[in-house]
Amino acid sequence: MTVRRTIPLVLVAAGATLALTGCGGGSDSGATSPSSAAASPGTATATPGSGGSGAAKGSGGSGSSAASNSGGTAGTGTSGKDATSDSYAYKHLCTAGQLAISVKELDSNPDQYVIAVANHGKAACGLSSYYPVVDLGSKNAADRSHDIHPQVPGGLGGAPAVPVHAGRTVYAVLDTDPNGAKGSNGGFDEINVLADKRFPNADTHNFPMNEGATVVQHPKLGLYRDSISEAVSSMRTADTNGG
């Protein structure tokens, strides 16, 4: 009789143990789900900040799960339609390595120069400046404190960002003699261009001016535009000292 009573008690105890184990597994699974969901908002908040550096975004893709989320978003955009949108460009600022800079004088006016900034990357990116950082100086000068900074259009507001789509170019036009004075260059024979004010000075590009150019104390520079004709129109509205 004693043996018959012991066997049911052992079975009951084993059943209780199994029930407790089952409850414990359900509890762990439930805890995992909310924490994964909570990670998403944090990752989304960090995305605009990491967008400032292409290198940071690239390394983030192989990091922790939160960084991998951020890198995955960028990767998906790069291969999909999002990478061609303005909103994508605003969130992914250009790096100097994505851009090719050139300067060429206009055939119609040798004192007007077209600054072209081309995106040779695979996805859209954004410039944080409305216009390039430009100054005129002497190629042989060791001291740049006397360089001339052109006037730019005033009244700018909102978040400064210019989308540059993959394979596309934006333009800004510089006029070194907007009033048609037709004199000498005053010793200024070089145009120094930094595509975005965020970039370090080491990313400045230097371009020689034509020998017959006239340089006045208040040259004019327009905003980045999608066409040269629009860039010329913008240049004509420059009325505020840049620099």
Side-chain angles (χ1 to χ4, degrees), residues 142-215:
D143 180 8
R144 295 291 182 183
S145 62
H146 298 294
D147 286 7
I148 296 176
H149 298 275
Q151 291 185 324
V152 295
L156 303 176
V162 176
V164 189
H165 296 270
R168 302 294 296 273
T169 303
V170 292
Y171 307 93
V173 168
L174 169 72
D175 192 336
T176 62
D177 182 23
N179 297 321
K182 299 302 178 188
S184 70
N185 64 14
F188 298 96
D189 55 8
E190 187 173 67
I191 302 172
N192 306 306
V193 179
L194 190 63
D196 193 312
K197 63 184 179 183
R198 294 182 305 110
F199 295 165
N201 288 335
D203 291 321
T204 299
H205 295 258
N206 313 106
F207 301 94
M209 299 175 64
N210 69 70
E211 293 182 2
T214 299
V215 178

Side-chain angles (χ1 to χ4, degrees), residues 114-131:
V114 178
I115 300 167
V117 178
N119 177 2
H120 57 67
K122 295 182 179 179
C125 65
L127 294 168
S128 69
S129 304
Y130 287 111
Y131 49 84

Side-chain angles (χ1 to χ4, degrees), residues 86-110:
D86 286 357
S87 59
Y88 181 93
Y90 295 145
K91 294 177 183 177
H92 299 77
L93 296 181
C94 300
T95 62
Q98 287 176 271
L99 306 174
I101 319 298
S102 64
V103 172
K104 183 180 179 181
E105 64 186 71
L106 276 176
D107 293 336
S108 58
N109 188 333

Side-chain angles (χ1 to χ4, degrees), residues 5-97:
R5 288 177 184 173
T6 302
I7 292 171
L9 287 173
V10 170
L11 293 173
V12 169
T17 302
L18 290 172
L20 287 172
T21 304
C23 291
S27 174
D28 287 346
S29 175
T32 302
S33 219
S35 68
S36 298
S40 295
T43 303
T45 303
T47 301
S50 66
S53 168
K57 289 197 295 293
S59 60
S62 59
S64 65
S65 62
S68 156
N69 245 351
S70 175
T73 301
T76 302
T78 301
S79 60
K81 63 181 182 180
D82 288 346
T84 64
S85 68
D86 286 357
S87 59
Y88 181 93
Y90 295 145
K91 294 177 183 177
H92 299 77
L93 296 181
C94 300
T95 62

